[in-house]
Short mmCIF file of all heavy atoms in Angstrom, two decimals:
data_model
loop_
_atom_site.label_atom_id
_atom_site.label_comp_id
_atom_site.label_asym_id
_atom_site.label_seq_id
_atom_site.Cartn_x
_atom_site.Cartn_y
_atom_site.Cartn_z
N PRO A 310 23.77 29.98 10.13
CA PRO A 310 24.01 29.26 11.38
C PRO A 310 23.86 30.13 12.63
O PRO A 310 23.70 29.60 13.73
CB PRO A 310 25.45 28.76 11.25
CG PRO A 310 26.07 29.62 10.20
CD PRO A 310 24.97 30.06 9.29
N HIS A 422 49.09 19.13 5.34
CA HIS A 422 48.01 19.94 4.79
C HIS A 422 47.01 20.33 5.87
O HIS A 422 46.49 19.51 6.58
CB HIS A 422 47.27 19.16 3.70
CG HIS A 422 47.97 19.25 2.39
ND1 HIS A 422 47.30 19.20 1.20
CD2 HIS A 422 49.26 19.40 2.09
CE1 HIS A 422 48.17 19.30 0.21
NE2 HIS A 422 49.37 19.42 0.73
N ASP A 423 46.74 21.59 5.98
CA ASP A 423 45.70 22.07 6.86
C ASP A 423 45.14 23.29 6.18
O ASP A 423 45.69 23.76 5.20
CB ASP A 423 46.27 22.43 8.23
CG ASP A 423 45.18 22.60 9.27
OD1 ASP A 423 44.48 21.61 9.52
OD2 ASP A 423 45.01 23.70 9.79
N ARG A 424 44.04 23.75 6.70
CA ARG A 424 43.44 24.88 6.00
C ARG A 424 43.17 26.03 6.93
O ARG A 424 42.52 26.94 6.64
CB ARG A 424 42.16 24.41 5.31
CG ARG A 424 42.54 23.41 4.25
CD ARG A 424 41.39 22.81 3.54
NE ARG A 424 41.91 22.04 2.42
CZ ARG A 424 41.15 21.52 1.48
NH1 ARG A 424 39.87 21.72 1.49
NH2 ARG A 424 41.67 20.83 0.51
N PHE B 208 20.45 10.73 21.42
CA PHE B 208 20.39 12.15 21.10
C PHE B 208 21.79 12.63 20.78
O PHE B 208 22.74 12.33 21.51
CB PHE B 208 19.83 12.95 22.28
CG PHE B 208 19.85 14.43 22.01
CD1 PHE B 208 18.80 15.03 21.33
CD2 PHE B 208 20.94 15.21 22.36
CE1 PHE B 208 18.83 16.38 21.03
CE2 PHE B 208 20.98 16.57 22.06
CZ PHE B 208 19.92 17.15 21.39
N VAL B 209 21.93 13.38 19.68
CA VAL B 209 23.23 13.92 19.29
C VAL B 209 23.16 15.44 19.37
O VAL B 209 22.31 16.07 18.72
CB VAL B 209 23.61 13.49 17.86
CG1 VAL B 209 24.96 14.10 17.46
CG2 VAL B 209 23.65 11.98 17.74
N ALA B 210 24.07 16.03 20.15
CA ALA B 210 24.14 17.49 20.27
C ALA B 210 25.21 18.00 19.33
O ALA B 210 26.38 17.63 19.45
CB ALA B 210 24.47 17.89 21.71
N GLY B 211 24.81 18.86 18.37
CA GLY B 211 25.75 19.40 17.40
C GLY B 211 25.30 19.08 16.00
O GLY B 211 24.33 18.32 15.80
N GLY B 212 25.97 19.68 15.01
CA GLY B 212 25.56 19.44 13.63
C GLY B 212 26.71 19.51 12.65
O GLY B 212 26.52 19.64 11.45
N GLY B 213 27.94 19.43 13.15
CA GLY B 213 29.12 19.42 12.29
C GLY B 213 29.49 17.99 11.91
O GLY B 213 28.66 17.07 12.01
N PRO B 214 30.71 17.79 11.45
CA PRO B 214 31.12 16.44 11.04
C PRO B 214 31.01 15.42 12.16
O PRO B 214 30.51 14.31 11.93
CB PRO B 214 32.56 16.61 10.58
CG PRO B 214 32.99 17.97 11.02
CD PRO B 214 31.76 18.79 11.18
N ALA B 215 31.45 15.75 13.35
CA ALA B 215 31.40 14.77 14.44
C ALA B 215 29.96 14.36 14.71
O ALA B 215 29.65 13.17 14.86
CB ALA B 215 32.04 15.35 15.70
N ALA B 216 29.06 15.32 14.77
CA ALA B 216 27.66 15.03 15.07
C ALA B 216 27.00 14.22 13.96
O ALA B 216 26.25 13.27 14.22
CB ALA B 216 26.89 16.33 15.30
N THR B 217 27.27 14.59 12.72
CA THR B 217 26.57 13.90 11.63
C THR B 217 27.08 12.47 11.46
O THR B 217 26.29 11.56 11.21
CB THR B 217 26.68 14.68 10.31
OG1 THR B 217 28.03 15.08 10.09
CG2 THR B 217 25.80 15.93 10.34
N ALA B 233 20.19 17.70 17.37
CA ALA B 233 19.82 19.12 17.47
C ALA B 233 21.07 19.97 17.34
O ALA B 233 22.09 19.71 17.98
CB ALA B 233 19.12 19.41 18.80
N ASP B 234 20.99 20.97 16.50
CA ASP B 234 22.11 21.89 16.30
C ASP B 234 21.72 23.29 16.74
O ASP B 234 20.59 23.72 16.56
CB ASP B 234 22.55 21.92 14.83
CG ASP B 234 23.87 22.65 14.66
OD1 ASP B 234 24.91 21.99 14.77
OD2 ASP B 234 23.85 23.88 14.45
N LYS B 235 22.71 23.99 17.29
CA LYS B 235 22.49 25.39 17.66
C LYS B 235 22.14 26.22 16.44
O LYS B 235 21.28 27.07 16.47
CB LYS B 235 23.76 25.92 18.31
CG LYS B 235 23.68 27.35 18.77
CD LYS B 235 25.05 27.86 19.20
CE LYS B 235 25.44 27.35 20.56
NZ LYS B 235 26.77 27.82 20.98
N GLY B 236 22.83 25.94 15.34
CA GLY B 236 22.55 26.64 14.09
C GLY B 236 21.81 25.72 13.14
O GLY B 236 20.80 25.11 13.51
N TYR B 237 22.33 25.58 11.93
CA TYR B 237 21.70 24.74 10.92
C TYR B 237 22.68 23.62 10.59
O TYR B 237 23.83 23.88 10.22
CB TYR B 237 21.40 25.59 9.69
CG TYR B 237 20.87 24.83 8.49
CD1 TYR B 237 19.53 24.43 8.44
CD2 TYR B 237 21.70 24.53 7.41
CE1 TYR B 237 19.04 23.75 7.32
CE2 TYR B 237 21.20 23.85 6.30
CZ TYR B 237 19.88 23.46 6.27
OH TYR B 237 19.40 22.79 5.17
N CYS B 238 22.22 22.38 10.74
CA CYS B 238 23.09 21.25 10.43
C CYS B 238 23.35 21.26 8.92
O CYS B 238 22.43 21.07 8.12
CB CYS B 238 22.42 19.95 10.85
SG CYS B 238 23.29 18.48 10.29
N GLY B 239 24.58 21.54 8.54
CA GLY B 239 24.93 21.68 7.13
C GLY B 239 25.74 22.94 6.89
O GLY B 239 26.57 22.99 5.99
N THR B 240 25.49 23.98 7.70
CA THR B 240 26.29 25.20 7.56
C THR B 240 27.00 25.57 8.85
O THR B 240 27.86 26.45 8.85
CB THR B 240 25.41 26.41 7.19
OG1 THR B 240 24.46 26.64 8.25
CG2 THR B 240 24.67 26.20 5.88
N SER B 241 26.61 24.92 9.93
CA SER B 241 27.10 25.38 11.23
C SER B 241 28.42 24.68 11.58
O SER B 241 28.62 23.52 11.25
CB SER B 241 26.04 25.08 12.30
OG SER B 241 26.23 25.89 13.42
N GLY B 242 29.29 25.42 12.25
CA GLY B 242 30.53 24.84 12.74
C GLY B 242 31.73 25.16 11.87
O GLY B 242 31.61 25.75 10.78
N ALA B 243 32.88 24.78 12.37
CA ALA B 243 34.15 25.18 11.75
C ALA B 243 34.37 24.52 10.39
O ALA B 243 34.93 25.14 9.48
CB ALA B 243 35.30 24.84 12.69
N THR B 244 33.93 23.29 10.22
CA THR B 244 34.16 22.61 8.95
C THR B 244 33.30 23.17 7.83
O THR B 244 33.78 23.41 6.71
CB THR B 244 33.91 21.10 9.09
OG1 THR B 244 34.93 20.55 9.92
CG2 THR B 244 33.93 20.40 7.74
N ALA B 245 32.03 23.40 8.11
CA ALA B 245 31.10 23.84 7.06
C ALA B 245 31.61 25.13 6.42
O ALA B 245 31.57 25.28 5.20
CB ALA B 245 29.71 24.04 7.65
N ALA B 246 32.06 26.05 7.23
CA ALA B 246 32.50 27.34 6.69
C ALA B 246 33.90 27.26 6.12
O ALA B 246 34.22 27.92 5.13
CB ALA B 246 32.43 28.41 7.78
N GLY B 247 34.74 26.44 6.73
CA GLY B 247 36.16 26.49 6.39
C GLY B 247 36.60 25.45 5.38
O GLY B 247 37.30 25.75 4.42
N GLY B 248 36.15 24.22 5.56
CA GLY B 248 36.69 23.12 4.77
C GLY B 248 37.94 22.60 5.46
O GLY B 248 38.59 23.32 6.21
N THR B 249 38.28 21.33 5.21
CA THR B 249 39.42 20.76 5.93
C THR B 249 40.25 19.84 5.06
O THR B 249 39.72 19.12 4.20
CB THR B 249 38.96 19.92 7.15
OG1 THR B 249 38.00 18.96 6.72
CG2 THR B 249 38.37 20.77 8.24
N GLY B 250 41.54 19.85 5.30
CA GLY B 250 42.38 18.75 4.88
C GLY B 250 42.05 17.58 5.80
O GLY B 250 41.66 17.78 6.94
N VAL B 251 42.15 16.36 5.31
CA VAL B 251 41.80 15.19 6.12
C VAL B 251 43.00 14.24 6.18
O VAL B 251 43.69 14.03 5.18
CB VAL B 251 40.57 14.44 5.53
CG1 VAL B 251 40.17 13.29 6.44
CG2 VAL B 251 39.39 15.40 5.34
N TRP B 252 43.22 13.65 7.36
CA TRP B 252 44.33 12.73 7.58
C TRP B 252 43.97 11.39 6.93
O TRP B 252 43.66 10.42 7.61
CB TRP B 252 44.53 12.56 9.09
CG TRP B 252 45.91 12.19 9.52
CD1 TRP B 252 47.09 12.51 8.93
CD2 TRP B 252 46.25 11.42 10.69
NE1 TRP B 252 48.14 12.01 9.66
CE2 TRP B 252 47.66 11.34 10.73
CE3 TRP B 252 45.50 10.80 11.70
CZ2 TRP B 252 48.33 10.66 11.76
CZ3 TRP B 252 46.17 10.13 12.71
CH2 TRP B 252 47.57 10.06 12.74
N MET B 322 29.36 19.21 4.09
CA MET B 322 28.34 19.22 5.14
C MET B 322 26.92 19.19 4.58
O MET B 322 26.01 18.69 5.23
CB MET B 322 28.56 20.39 6.09
CG MET B 322 29.82 20.25 6.96
SD MET B 322 30.05 18.60 7.72
CE MET B 322 28.55 18.47 8.67
N SER B 340 18.33 24.91 17.37
CA SER B 340 17.80 24.37 18.63
C SER B 340 18.92 24.07 19.61
O SER B 340 19.22 22.91 19.89
CB SER B 340 16.99 23.09 18.35
OG SER B 340 15.94 23.36 17.45
N PRO B 341 19.58 25.12 20.13
CA PRO B 341 20.70 24.86 21.04
C PRO B 341 20.29 24.05 22.26
O PRO B 341 19.23 24.30 22.84
CB PRO B 341 21.16 26.27 21.45
CG PRO B 341 20.07 27.20 21.06
CD PRO B 341 19.36 26.56 19.90
N VAL B 342 21.13 23.09 22.60
CA VAL B 342 20.96 22.36 23.84
C VAL B 342 21.35 23.29 24.98
O VAL B 342 22.34 24.02 24.89
CB VAL B 342 21.86 21.10 23.85
CG1 VAL B 342 21.80 20.41 25.20
CG2 VAL B 342 21.45 20.16 22.73
N LEU B 343 20.56 23.26 26.03
CA LEU B 343 20.87 24.10 27.20
C LEU B 343 21.50 23.31 28.32
O LEU B 343 22.29 23.84 29.09
CB LEU B 343 19.59 24.77 27.72
CG LEU B 343 19.02 25.93 26.93
CD1 LEU B 343 17.70 26.37 27.54
CD2 LEU B 343 20.00 27.09 26.92
N TYR B 367 12.35 22.66 24.42
CA TYR B 367 12.15 21.25 24.05
C TYR B 367 12.90 20.37 25.03
O TYR B 367 13.82 20.83 25.72
CB TYR B 367 12.57 20.97 22.61
CG TYR B 367 14.07 20.95 22.35
CD1 TYR B 367 14.79 19.76 22.49
CD2 TYR B 367 14.75 22.09 21.96
CE1 TYR B 367 16.16 19.73 22.24
CE2 TYR B 367 16.11 22.07 21.71
CZ TYR B 367 16.81 20.89 21.85
OH TYR B 367 18.16 20.87 21.62
N ALA B 377 28.70 16.56 20.58
CA ALA B 377 29.55 16.87 19.42
C ALA B 377 29.36 18.34 19.09
O ALA B 377 29.04 18.73 17.97
CB ALA B 377 29.17 15.98 18.23
N THR B 378 29.55 19.16 20.12
CA THR B 378 29.24 20.58 20.02
C THR B 378 30.44 21.43 19.63
O THR B 378 30.38 22.66 19.71
CB THR B 378 28.70 21.07 21.37
OG1 THR B 378 29.58 20.60 22.41
CG2 THR B 378 27.30 20.54 21.64
N GLY B 379 31.55 20.81 19.23
CA GLY B 379 32.70 21.57 18.78
C GLY B 379 33.55 22.08 19.94
O GLY B 379 33.27 21.81 21.11
N GLY B 380 34.60 22.81 19.59
CA GLY B 380 35.49 23.37 20.60
C GLY B 380 35.01 24.73 21.06
O GLY B 380 33.81 25.02 21.04
N ALA B 387 36.76 33.87 14.18
CA ALA B 387 37.53 33.01 13.28
C ALA B 387 36.52 32.17 12.48
O ALA B 387 35.47 31.79 13.01
CB ALA B 387 38.47 32.10 14.07
N LEU B 388 36.85 31.88 11.25
CA LEU B 388 35.87 31.40 10.27
C LEU B 388 34.96 30.27 10.78
O LEU B 388 35.42 29.17 11.10
CB LEU B 388 36.60 30.92 9.01
CG LEU B 388 35.72 30.70 7.77
CD1 LEU B 388 34.97 31.97 7.38
CD2 LEU B 388 36.56 30.21 6.61
N GLY B 389 33.68 30.57 10.86
CA GLY B 389 32.68 29.56 11.20
C GLY B 389 32.60 29.17 12.66
O GLY B 389 31.85 28.27 13.02
N THR B 390 33.37 29.83 13.53
CA THR B 390 33.50 29.31 14.90
C THR B 390 32.63 30.01 15.94
O THR B 390 32.70 29.64 17.11
CB THR B 390 34.96 29.40 15.39
OG1 THR B 390 35.34 30.78 15.44
CG2 THR B 390 35.91 28.63 14.50
N VAL B 392 29.67 29.72 16.64
CA VAL B 392 28.73 28.79 17.27
C VAL B 392 29.44 27.88 18.27
O VAL B 392 28.80 27.18 19.05
CB VAL B 392 28.02 27.91 16.22
CG1 VAL B 392 27.05 28.75 15.40
CG2 VAL B 392 29.03 27.22 15.31
N ASP B 393 30.77 27.90 18.23
CA ASP B 393 31.57 26.99 19.05
C ASP B 393 32.02 27.70 20.32
O ASP B 393 33.08 28.32 20.37
CB ASP B 393 32.79 26.50 18.26
CG ASP B 393 32.39 25.63 17.07
OD1 ASP B 393 31.31 25.01 17.13
OD2 ASP B 393 33.14 25.57 16.09
N THR B 394 31.19 27.62 21.36
CA THR B 394 31.48 28.34 22.60
C THR B 394 31.74 27.38 23.76
O THR B 394 31.63 27.76 24.92
CB THR B 394 30.32 29.29 22.94
OG1 THR B 394 29.09 28.59 22.81
CG2 THR B 394 30.30 30.49 21.99
N GLY B 395 32.06 26.12 23.44
CA GLY B 395 32.44 25.19 24.49
C GLY B 395 31.27 24.67 25.32
O GLY B 395 31.47 24.16 26.43
N ASP B 396 30.07 24.74 24.78
CA ASP B 396 28.89 24.35 25.56
C ASP B 396 28.96 22.90 26.04
O ASP B 396 28.60 22.59 27.18
CB ASP B 396 27.60 24.52 24.73
CG ASP B 396 27.44 25.92 24.16
OD1 ASP B 396 28.35 26.75 24.35
OD2 ASP B 396 26.41 26.18 23.51
N GLY B 397 29.42 22.02 25.16
CA GLY B 397 29.44 20.59 25.50
C GLY B 397 30.33 20.30 26.70
O GLY B 397 30.01 19.46 27.54
N PHE B 400 28.42 21.17 29.78
CA PHE B 400 27.40 20.14 30.08
C PHE B 400 28.07 18.91 30.70
O PHE B 400 27.57 18.34 31.67
CB PHE B 400 26.65 19.70 28.82
CG PHE B 400 26.00 20.81 28.04
CD1 PHE B 400 25.74 20.65 26.67
CD2 PHE B 400 25.64 22.01 28.63
CE1 PHE B 400 25.14 21.66 25.94
CE2 PHE B 400 25.04 23.03 27.90
CZ PHE B 400 24.80 22.85 26.55
N ALA B 418 45.22 31.78 14.46
CA ALA B 418 45.35 31.59 13.02
C ALA B 418 45.44 32.93 12.30
O ALA B 418 44.84 33.92 12.73
CB ALA B 418 44.17 30.79 12.49
N SER B 425 37.35 37.57 8.84
CA SER B 425 37.12 36.33 9.58
C SER B 425 37.89 35.15 8.98
O SER B 425 37.86 34.06 9.54
CB SER B 425 35.62 36.00 9.51
OG SER B 425 35.24 35.84 8.14
N VAL B 426 38.54 35.36 7.84
CA VAL B 426 38.97 34.19 7.06
C VAL B 426 40.33 33.66 7.53
O VAL B 426 41.38 34.07 7.06
CB VAL B 426 38.96 34.50 5.55
CG1 VAL B 426 39.36 33.26 4.75
CG2 VAL B 426 37.55 34.94 5.13
N THR B 427 40.26 32.74 8.50
CA THR B 427 41.46 32.15 9.10
C THR B 427 41.88 30.89 8.34
O THR B 427 41.99 29.81 8.90
CB THR B 427 41.19 31.79 10.57
OG1 THR B 427 39.92 31.13 10.66
CG2 THR B 427 41.19 33.01 11.44
N LYS B 428 42.09 31.03 7.06
CA LYS B 428 42.56 29.91 6.26
C LYS B 428 44.07 30.07 6.13
O LYS B 428 44.53 31.03 5.51
CB LYS B 428 41.90 29.96 4.88
CG LYS B 428 40.38 30.03 4.94
CD LYS B 428 39.75 28.69 4.95
CE LYS B 428 39.99 28.01 3.63
NZ LYS B 428 39.38 26.68 3.62
N THR B 429 44.83 29.14 6.68
CA THR B 429 46.26 29.42 6.87
C THR B 429 47.20 28.71 5.90
O THR B 429 48.36 29.08 5.79
CB THR B 429 46.68 29.04 8.30
OG1 THR B 429 46.24 27.70 8.55
CG2 THR B 429 46.05 29.96 9.31
N GLU B 512 41.62 30.68 17.99
CA GLU B 512 40.74 29.55 17.69
C GLU B 512 40.64 28.57 18.87
O GLU B 512 40.02 27.51 18.74
CB GLU B 512 41.21 28.84 16.41
CG GLU B 512 41.00 29.74 15.19
CD GLU B 512 41.33 29.09 13.87
OE1 GLU B 512 42.06 28.07 13.84
OE2 GLU B 512 40.86 29.60 12.84
N VAL B 515 39.34 24.92 19.12
CA VAL B 515 38.91 24.43 17.81
C VAL B 515 40.12 23.86 17.05
O VAL B 515 40.07 22.75 16.53
CB VAL B 515 38.22 25.53 16.99
CG1 VAL B 515 37.97 25.08 15.55
CG2 VAL B 515 36.89 25.90 17.63
N ARG B 516 41.19 24.62 17.02
CA ARG B 516 42.41 24.03 16.49
C ARG B 516 43.45 23.79 17.58
O ARG B 516 44.62 23.59 17.31
CB ARG B 516 42.97 24.84 15.33
CG ARG B 516 42.28 24.41 14.02
CD ARG B 516 43.00 24.85 12.78
NE ARG B 516 42.57 26.15 12.29
CZ ARG B 516 42.82 26.59 11.06
NH1 ARG B 516 43.50 25.85 10.20
NH2 ARG B 516 42.40 27.78 10.68
N ALA B 538 32.58 13.51 21.03
CA ALA B 538 33.20 13.34 19.72
C ALA B 538 33.62 14.69 19.16
O ALA B 538 33.09 15.73 19.53
CB ALA B 538 32.22 12.66 18.76
N GLY B 539 34.57 14.64 18.24
CA GLY B 539 35.03 15.85 17.55
C GLY B 539 35.79 16.78 18.49
O GLY B 539 36.39 16.35 19.47
N ASP B 540 35.70 18.06 18.18
CA ASP B 540 36.45 19.06 18.96
C ASP B 540 35.95 19.18 20.39
O ASP B 540 36.65 19.74 21.24
CB ASP B 540 36.32 20.44 18.31
CG ASP B 540 37.12 20.57 17.02
OD1 ASP B 540 37.83 19.62 16.65
OD2 ASP B 540 37.04 21.65 16.40
N ALA B 541 34.76 18.70 20.68
CA ALA B 541 34.28 18.74 22.06
C ALA B 541 35.13 17.83 22.93
O ALA B 541 35.25 18.04 24.13
CB ALA B 541 32.81 18.31 22.13
N ARG B 544 41.73 15.75 21.64
CA ARG B 544 42.36 15.11 20.48
C ARG B 544 43.81 14.72 20.77
O ARG B 544 44.58 14.38 19.89
CB ARG B 544 42.31 16.03 19.25
CG ARG B 544 40.94 16.07 18.60
CD ARG B 544 40.53 17.48 18.27
NE ARG B 544 40.06 18.18 19.44
CZ ARG B 544 40.01 19.51 19.56
NH1 ARG B 544 40.40 20.27 18.59
NH2 ARG B 544 39.57 20.07 20.67
N THR B 552 48.09 20.63 17.02
CA THR B 552 47.38 20.15 15.83
C THR B 552 47.47 21.07 14.62
O THR B 552 47.30 20.61 13.51
CB THR B 552 45.89 19.87 16.11
OG1 THR B 552 45.14 20.13 14.94
CG2 THR B 552 45.34 20.73 17.19
N GLY B 555 47.78 19.57 9.61
CA GLY B 555 47.94 18.13 9.68
C GLY B 555 46.67 17.33 9.57
O GLY B 555 46.72 16.12 9.49
N SER B 556 45.54 17.99 9.54
CA SER B 556 44.31 17.29 9.18
C SER B 556 43.83 16.29 10.22
O SER B 556 42.95 15.49 9.96
CB SER B 556 44.49 16.54 7.86
OG SER B 556 45.15 17.36 6.94
N HIS B 557 44.44 16.34 11.40
CA HIS B 557 44.04 15.39 12.44
C HIS B 557 42.65 15.68 12.98
O HIS B 557 41.91 14.76 13.33
CB HIS B 557 45.05 15.44 13.58
CG HIS B 557 46.39 14.93 13.20
ND1 HIS B 557 47.20 15.58 12.31
CD2 HIS B 557 47.06 13.82 13.59
CE1 HIS B 557 48.31 14.88 12.17
NE2 HIS B 557 48.25 13.82 12.93
N ASN B 558 42.31 16.95 13.08
CA ASN B 558 41.02 17.30 13.68
C ASN B 558 39.86 16.74 12.85
O ASN B 558 38.89 16.23 13.40
CB ASN B 558 40.87 18.81 13.78
CG ASN B 558 41.69 19.38 14.92
OD1 ASN B 558 41.84 18.75 15.95
ND2 ASN B 558 42.24 20.56 14.71
N ALA B 559 39.99 16.87 11.55
CA ALA B 559 38.92 16.38 10.67
C ALA B 559 38.81 14.86 10.77
O ALA B 559 37.71 14.29 10.79
CB ALA B 559 39.20 16.80 9.23
N ALA B 560 39.97 14.20 10.83
CA ALA B 560 39.98 12.74 10.95
C ALA B 560 39.38 12.31 12.28
O ALA B 560 38.58 11.37 12.36
CB ALA B 560 41.42 12.23 10.82
N ALA B 562 37.23 14.02 14.08
CA ALA B 562 35.79 14.32 14.12
C ALA B 562 35.01 13.16 13.50
O ALA B 562 34.02 12.68 14.08
CB ALA B 562 35.49 15.63 13.39
N GLU B 664 26.18 30.10 26.87
CA GLU B 664 27.43 30.24 26.11
C GLU B 664 28.46 31.01 26.92
O GLU B 664 29.64 30.63 26.98
CB GLU B 664 27.17 31.00 24.80
CG GLU B 664 26.33 30.27 23.79
CD GLU B 664 26.22 31.04 22.47
OE1 GLU B 664 26.35 32.28 22.47
OE2 GLU B 664 25.99 30.39 21.43
C1 FAD C 877 39.40 28.01 9.36
C2 FAD C 877 39.58 26.62 9.87
C3 FAD C 877 40.27 25.70 9.10
C4 FAD C 877 40.44 24.40 9.56
N1 FAD C 877 41.14 23.53 8.79
C5 FAD C 877 41.33 22.26 9.20
C6 FAD C 877 42.02 21.33 8.37
O1 FAD C 877 42.47 21.65 7.27
N2 FAD C 877 42.17 20.06 8.83
C7 FAD C 877 41.66 19.67 10.03
O2 FAD C 877 41.79 18.51 10.40
N3 FAD C 877 40.98 20.53 10.83
C8 FAD C 877 40.82 21.82 10.44
N4 FAD C 877 40.13 22.69 11.24
C9 FAD C 877 39.47 22.18 12.44
C10 FAD C 877 38.14 21.49 12.08
O3 FAD C 877 37.34 22.40 11.38
C11 FAD C 877 37.41 21.01 13.31
O4 FAD C 877 38.24 20.13 14.00
C12 FAD C 877 36.09 20.29 12.98
O5 FAD C 877 35.17 21.18 12.41
C13 FAD C 877 35.49 19.66 14.22
O6 FAD C 877 34.22 19.13 13.95
P1 FAD C 877 33.10 19.14 15.05
O7 FAD C 877 31.92 18.52 14.45
O8 FAD C 877 33.63 18.61 16.32
O9 FAD C 877 32.85 20.71 15.37
P2 FAD C 877 32.19 21.84 14.45
O10 FAD C 877 32.38 21.57 13.02
O11 FAD C 877 32.71 23.14 14.95
O12 FAD C 877 30.65 21.73 14.77
C14 FAD C 877 30.15 21.97 16.06
C15 FAD C 877 28.64 22.01 15.95
O13 FAD C 877 28.06 22.02 17.24
C16 FAD C 877 26.99 22.94 17.26
N5 FAD C 877 26.75 23.37 18.64
C17 FAD C 877 27.55 24.10 19.45
N6 FAD C 877 26.97 24.28 20.66
C18 FAD C 877 25.77 23.65 20.61
C19 FAD C 877 24.70 23.49 21.53
N7 FAD C 877 24.73 24.04 22.75
N8 FAD C 877 23.62 22.77 21.14
C20 FAD C 877 23.56 22.22 19.90
N9 FAD C 877 24.53 22.35 18.98
C21 FAD C 877 25.63 23.06 19.33
C22 FAD C 877 27.43 24.04 16.34
O14 FAD C 877 26.34 24.77 15.87
C23 FAD C 877 28.11 23.24 15.24
O15 FAD C 877 27.20 22.83 14.26
C24 FAD C 877 39.94 24.01 10.82
C25 FAD C 877 39.25 24.94 11.60
C26 FAD C 877 39.08 26.24 11.15
C27 FAD C 877 38.37 27.23 12.02
#
Side-chain angles (χ1 to χ4, degrees):
Chain A
H422 277 210
D423 195 62
R424 295 177 171 189
Chain B
F208 176 86
V209 179
T217 47
D234 191 88
K235 181 189 283 180
Y237 174 78
C238 172
T240 62
S241 201
T244 291
T249 53
V251 184
W252 206 32
M322 291 315 300
S340 302
V342 174
L343 285 175
Y367 73 89
T378 48
L388 194 58
T390 64
V392 290
D393 294 333
T394 47
D396 305 3
F400 305 156
S425 60
V426 182
T427 45
K428 306 270 293 180
T429 51
E512 292 185 340
V515 171
R516 275 197 269 196
D540 288 357
R544 284 135 282 159
T552 148
S556 316
H557 293 68
N558 285 325
E664 292 185 334

